[in-house]
Amino acid sequence: MLTVILVCLASSCYFFVEATKSGLSAKHWALAGLLMGPVVWPMFTVSRHVRMRKDCGFNNAYLRA
């Protein structure tokens, strides 16, 4: 039980930092990470990708350094 709580707390911190870096709602993702843990990862990845596409446009090239 303690392991599950620690994993959820770590997920909450991770999603807060990553959401802040991606320009998403940090509190929203931290709460989702706290409640559901790492299960939120696929939804977060899709949300981050959609946000990036909205910001950059759909027909533009995007190169990662």
Side-chain angles (χ1 to χ4, degrees):
M1 185 67 181
L2 181 64
T3 306
V4 173
I5 293 171
L6 290 176
V7 167
C8 287
L9 283 173
S11 294
S12 176
C13 293
Y14 176 76
F15 286 126
F16 181 83
V17 170
E18 289 298 316
T20 303
K21 287 179 8 184
S22 300
L24 300 172
S25 174
K27 290 180 185 177
H28 176 279
W29 287 107
L31 181 63
L34 184 63
L35 296 176
M36 293 186 277
V39 176
V40 181
W41 178 253
M43 189 167 56
F44 178 75
T45 304
V46 169
S47 179
R48 185 172 53 183
H49 182 74
V50 168
R51 175 65 182 238
M52 188 265 305
R53 283 295 186 189
K54 272 187 186 178
D55 291 343
C56 294
F58 288 95
N59 294 325
N60 296 333
Y62 178 72
L63 300 174
R64 293 183 195 229

